[in-house]
Amino acid sequence: HVSDAISSYIELLAAILGIMITVVAIVLQLAAQRYGTRLIDLFLTHTVNRLYFILLVCSLLYALFVIFAIKDTFFPFYAVQTLLGLTLLEIALLAPYFLFVFKLITPTNLLMATQEKSKASATLATNKQNYVNLKKYQAEVALSLEQAADPALNAITQGDRNLALMAIDQIREMVLDYLLLKKRLPKMWFIVSQEHFIGITSEFHKEICDTKQWVEAKAFIDMRLIFEKSIESMPDGVNAIAYNTRIIGEAGIKIRDD
């Protein structure tokens, strides 16, 4: 009878795990189509998500271990009690976890995480011990700028004014964070691969490397795409780009960025 009961536990744990994977996959796919693929990276790297899925998988594996440990002459009482506690914990955390996921995939969290990733990569690049990873940090900064621009482009297409303006402002904040760190970066940082700049000439690529402005150029190229998209259907986007371009320029003058 105990084995039958634990078998039911295994089915319950497997059902919870299946429901979690299904719901999260659907929600992430729908949100990523609107806000960009950076959302998936944010979800997978978050500690809470990892811990909860580890709890689900470990509980299921533990239940399998317990059911095979039961013998006619041996009953693992404390192991069964532990399994019961894990099951109750999973069910109790189910609703709070769904609430956490829905809050996590909001565009505000996505854009903030993108900005923090860009700033962290640029900060790491200022450390001499990390010079061997400069290409990795360059790619992360370039990708972060693209991932901030994607929600703006999608929002303009869907007529979401607030999200578009929020994403444009976030690009500005990322550039401002970078300008504060720029003078601490090594010379090798400013020599970047052309693979991060699709559609530009080799002459322009050489120019932005020689003038140490490839990050700013990357941001303004993304802003130009948003600008072209905004002209058709969102004048506020044009105003936001003009305003933020001025703010970036004034910040460059203030820190004497040559």
Side-chain angles (χ1 to χ4, degrees):
H1 297 296
V2 175
S3 298
D4 294 338
I6 295 180
S7 297
S8 300
Y9 268 90
I10 294 176
E11 294 177 1
L12 175 61
L13 294 174
I16 294 175
L17 181 59
I19 291 172
M20 288 299 308
I21 294 175
T22 302
V23 172
V24 169
I26 293 173
V27 170
L28 277 181
Q29 182 181 6
L30 294 175
Q33 289 176 351
R34 183 173 185 182
Y35 304 136
T37 56
R38 172 63 181 166
L39 188 63
I40 298 176
D41 297 333
L42 173 63
F43 179 86
L44 294 177
T45 56
H46 202 287
T47 304
V48 173
N49 294 317
R50 291 183 174 183
L51 289 177
Y52 191 65
F53 274 95
I54 289 174
L55 175 63
L56 292 175
V57 174
C58 289
S59 298
L60 184 57
L61 294 177
Y62 184 73
L64 292 173
F65 172 79
V66 170
I67 194 172
F68 281 105
I70 297 176
K71 307 294 183 183
D72 293 336
T73 58
F74 176 72
F75 177 72
F77 176 78
Y78 293 107
V80 173
Q81 294 298 316
T82 302
L83 177 59
L84 176 60
L86 289 174
T87 305
L88 294 176
L89 179 63
E90 288 182 12
I91 296 174
L93 291 177
L94 197 58
Y97 178 72
F98 275 126
L99 180 61
F100 164 79
V101 170
F102 291 135
K103 287 185 176 180
L104 179 67
I105 62 176
T106 58
T108 302
N109 286 334
L110 169 63
L111 293 172
M112 288 299 298
T114 302
Q115 179 185 352
E116 291 172 1
K117 181 65 175 179
S118 174
K119 184 177 180 180
S121 298
T123 302
L124 289 172
T126 62
N127 191 330
K128 292 183 179 181
Q129 297 179 351
N130 297 325
Y131 284 0
V132 293
N133 297 318
L134 281 182
K135 289 186 177 181
K136 172 187 174 183
Y137 300 139
Q138 288 173 335
E140 289 175 350
V141 170
L143 181 61
S144 294
L145 288 169
E146 293 176 0
Q147 290 173 338
D150 287 344
L153 294 170
N154 293 335
I156 293 171
T157 301
Q158 299 170 8
D160 190 339
R161 174 180 174 275
N162 291 334
L163 177 57
L165 298 181
M166 189 188 306
I168 294 171
D169 290 343
Q170 209 68 40
I171 295 175
R172 176 201 68 204
E173 292 300 317
M174 292 168 68
V175 176
L176 294 179
D177 287 341
Y178 169 76
L179 289 175
L180 295 176
L181 298 168
K182 186 173 181 180
K183 291 186 177 180
R184 295 164 50 193
L185 292 165
K187 292 182 179 180
M188 295 179 294
W189 168 266
F190 302 102
I191 304 174
V192 66
S193 173
Q194 192 171 349
E195 66 183 11
H196 302 304
F197 296 87
I198 300 175
I200 70 170
T201 63
S202 57
E203 290 80 7
F204 180 58
H205 173 256
K206 183 177 184 302
E207 178 183 348
I208 61 178
C209 290
D210 292 342
T211 57
K212 302 180 180 181
Q213 294 178 343
W214 72 265
V215 173
E216 296 90 326
K218 180 69 175 176
F220 286 129
I221 288 173
D222 291 335
M223 281 192 174
R224 186 195 67 185
L225 295 174
I226 301 171
F227 176 84
E228 293 173 351
K229 197 82 172 178
S230 299
I231 291 177
E232 303 174 1
S233 56
M234 193 173 291
D236 287 346
V238 176
N239 296 335
I241 291 172
Y243 171 76
N244 288 321
T245 300
R246 189 193 74 184
I247 296 298
I248 293 172
E250 291 176 348
I253 295 173
K254 185 177 180 179
I255 65 172
R256 298 182 179 180
D257 179 29
D258 299 328

